[in-house]
Amino acid sequence: MQDALVERLSAPVPRYTSYPTAPHFDESVGPDTYAEWLAALGPTNRLSLYAHIPYCDRLCWFCACHTKHTLRYEPVEAYLKGLHAEIATVGARVSRAVPVTALHFGGGSPTMLRPDDLMALKDCLTRHFAFSPEAEISVEMDPNDLDDARHDALAAIGMTRASLGIQDFDPKVQKAINRIQTFEQTRGVVEAARARGVRSVNCDVLYGLPYQTLETMAETVRAVISLAPDRIALFGYAHVPWMKKHQTMIDEAALPGIVARFDQMSMAAQMLVSAGYEAIGIDHFALPAERLAVSAREGTLRRNFQGYTDDRADALIGLGASSIGQLPQGYIQNMPATGEYLRRVEEGGLAVVRGYVLTAEDRARAWVIERVMCDFGFSLADLAERYPAFAAVIRGEAGRFVATDRDGLAALEGERFVLTPSGRPFARTVAAVFDAHLASGRGRHSIAV
């Protein structure tokens, strides 16, 4: 019965790191619109920055990020020159009264940058934006890139959170995804980061990878727990070879089936909770004192393009090729093609090529979907207070879903729509009930478990 339920509810749906999702962005939002939105930011806003480094010195076959493989550093140097130019152009359009409360370096592999280049990039950002003294600075790290000089550079830029990609420690799985990384190597990176004062360590683990079994998954989770990370992200591998051609290097016959994926996820989650981690949303875990866990308990957990976050900023500026930003008026995305991105920014222009202007109904549905993804439910009373024009329609959708829900995924409890314990693993599927754009979407999505 459970297996049949998992099979039926695993239909592809968005991950809802935004609403509407990226397939609904279009070219009606361009540089002029973005410039207006940036100029409108003021002292009542809080700002997050995301800097994208779309290069890796090895290409992991499981990866769905916008990145490219290079064994030469010259393309990286040329890209950094353009990124500095974009930072100056965007920063000139943002009031110095807007404090930056968070900065995230993502990729690709930011830690492949040479130490001097990493520090110069942070200096450029500091010159052109007004950083809060308490700003969180997080960096995605590939342990294969790191040495003492890079660790020192990460400390020099003020990194507060180290985010390590682990995926899996089993050698057979690592070979199948072209991600060779020993436990000892990973432990050394964690120790080096902590020795230099980093406050929080996050580890990314994947389930649903080729040749993974419950036994190998359990070994990896035990090894990760032994590192005592403050946060753990437990993601399902998204097999999207129609988007990422290098994923065709993965033998599809070696991928676990949908039920096996669900069993891996459930077992890993149970192990993490038993080890003292609190479950956060659909795929994160954190120690009770960690800010993400505190935010979840207080009902202030958010979800953005980096996943679950305790960041309270109401604007996110994406810097770099393909980067996505979110401002109070809507979403923007930069040119994905690196060469064209560089041409635009080196000419002093903005690199935005598409985006989306939020409507009043979008805002209501975005709030509902975010609460479903973060809190596994929402208050109908809060909905009516925040978005009175759309409360009746959304209340009706919630009621119809509960009335026709033969699987017991959700319920109405007084003035709250809530997911049941058996419905929580399928939060993406439930969130899709409130997605007015899904039927008209052009995008293809990964499976829901």
Side-chain angles (χ1 to χ4, degrees):
M1 182 69 177
Q2 173 73 7
D3 291 355
L5 179 66
V6 172
E7 292 273 5
R8 185 157 46 80
L9 295 178
S10 64
V13 289
R15 294 191 63 82
Y16 291 115
T17 53
S18 72
Y19 180 82
T21 54
H24 299 283
F25 298 0
D26 62 38
E27 292 74 21
S28 65
V29 174
D32 291 343
T33 302
Y34 187 35
E36 293 175 3
W37 291 358
L38 292 172
L41 293 172
T44 61
N45 297 110
R46 295 293 180 269
L47 183 59
S48 281
L49 301 177
Y50 172 79
H52 186 59
I53 309 298
Y55 290 95
C56 298
D57 46 19
R58 63 171 176 174
L59 188 59
C60 303
W61 295 336
F62 69 87
C63 183
C65 299
H66 178 77
T67 187
K68 60 180 66 177
H69 176 234
T70 181
L71 295 177
R72 298 168 51 246
Y73 199 71
E74 290 82 0
V76 181
E77 287 181 309
Y79 177 79
L80 288 174
K81 179 182 176 183
L83 185 56
H84 281 236
E86 186 192 10
I87 291 167
T89 299
V90 174
R93 288 167 166 77
V94 177
S95 168
R96 299 289 295 187
V98 185
V100 173
T101 57
L103 166 63
H104 185 91
F105 292 99
S109 184
T111 48
M112 77 172 290
L113 297 186
R114 291 171 178 164
D116 288 350
D117 286 337
L118 182 60
M119 290 187 288
L121 180 56
K122 173 56 169 30
D123 287 344
C124 181
L125 288 160
T126 303
R127 286 197 309 274
H128 294 287
F129 292 93
F131 276 73
S132 165
E134 295 80 31
E136 291 283 349
I137 299 174
S138 57
V139 183
E140 295 175 12
M141 303 169 69
D142 180 351
N144 288 278
D145 292 332
L146 288 158
D147 52 25
D148 283 343
R150 284 182 168 85
H151 280 300
D152 290 342
L154 291 167
I157 69 170
M159 180 178 69
T160 60
R161 177 170 300 113
S163 186
L164 281 73
I166 291 176
Q167 323 321 335
D168 192 285
F169 283 125
D170 184 80
K172 185 175 182 179
V173 176
Q174 290 187 353
K175 183 178 179 181
I177 62 174
N178 199 38
R179 175 78 178 206
I180 308 302
Q181 176 180 321
T182 68
F183 171 75
E184 291 74 20
Q185 184 181 24
T186 306
R187 180 178 59 195
V189 169
V190 171
E191 291 173 350
R194 285 179 168 151
R196 289 165 174 81
V198 72
R199 295 201 297 265
S200 179
V201 172
N202 172 79
C203 291
D204 289 349
V205 180
L206 289 183
Y207 63 88
L209 290 171
Y211 302 110
Q212 273 184 327
T213 66
L214 289 175
E215 291 73 23
T216 64
M217 188 82 203
E219 285 298 316
T220 289
V221 173
R222 278 192 284 270
V224 170
I225 290 171
S226 75
L227 300 173
D230 304 271
R231 298 182 180 184
I232 298 170
L234 178 65
F235 295 131
Y237 165 56
H239 190 59
V240 288
W242 58 88
M243 290 174 54
K244 300 298 176 181
K245 297 302 182 185
H246 55 262
Q247 288 190 352
T248 60
M249 300 295 291
I250 289 178
D251 180 5
E252 292 188 350
L255 292 173
I258 290 171
V259 172
R261 284 173 59 98
F262 187 84
D263 290 344
Q264 289 174 4
M265 179 269 292
S266 300
M267 179 201 67
Q270 185 176 17
M271 290 178 67
L272 293 172
V273 171
S274 296
Y277 289 87
E278 294 186 3
I280 312 294
I282 62 170
D283 53 20
H284 276 56
F285 299 82
L287 294 175
E290 219 281 337
R291 287 176 48 169
L292 198 69
V294 174
S295 182
R297 290 196 299 271
E298 293 178 347
T300 57
L301 188 67
R302 300 293 309 278
R303 190 161 172 83
N304 64 17
F305 296 105
Q306 281 80 59
Y308 290 109
T309 180
D310 58 313
D311 183 9
R312 307 291 178 85
D314 55 359
L316 167 66
I317 290 178
L319 300 160
S322 82
S323 288
I324 297 177
Q326 179 178 359
L327 285 88
Q329 300 90 337
Y331 303 107
I332 60 93
Q333 183 172 21
N334 277 352
M335 165 60 68
T338 305
E340 178 62 15
Y341 162 80
L342 291 177
R343 185 190 69 78
R344 291 173 182 236
V345 296
E346 288 173 356
E347 291 176 353
L350 295 169
V352 170
V353 291
R354 65 187 193 127
Y356 187 92
V357 179
L358 289 165
T359 68
E361 182 177 357
D362 290 331
R363 297 177 193 279
R365 293 184 178 278
W367 179 82
V368 167
I369 288 172
E370 185 175 44
R371 291 338 317 148
V372 168
M373 295 296 296
C374 291
D375 303 335
F376 298 118
F378 61 92
S379 164
L380 295 167
D382 284 353
L383 173 66
E385 182 177 347
R386 291 169 178 267
Y387 306 102
F390 306 100
V393 172
I394 295 174
R395 178 190 284 266
E397 292 170 353
R400 285 191 293 275
F401 178 78
V402 170
T404 58
D405 174 22
R406 57 182 172 137
D407 302 310
L409 303 180
L412 289 172
E413 297 180 355
E415 282 295 293
R416 283 194 63 81
F417 173 87
V418 298
L419 275 66
T420 63
S422 60
R424 290 187 173 194
F426 308 104
R428 288 168 60 188
T429 301
V430 177
V433 170
F434 304 101
D435 185 342
H437 294 279
L438 186 59
S440 62
R442 297 168 293 173
R444 295 173 65 183
H445 305 286
S446 59
I447 59 176
V449 299

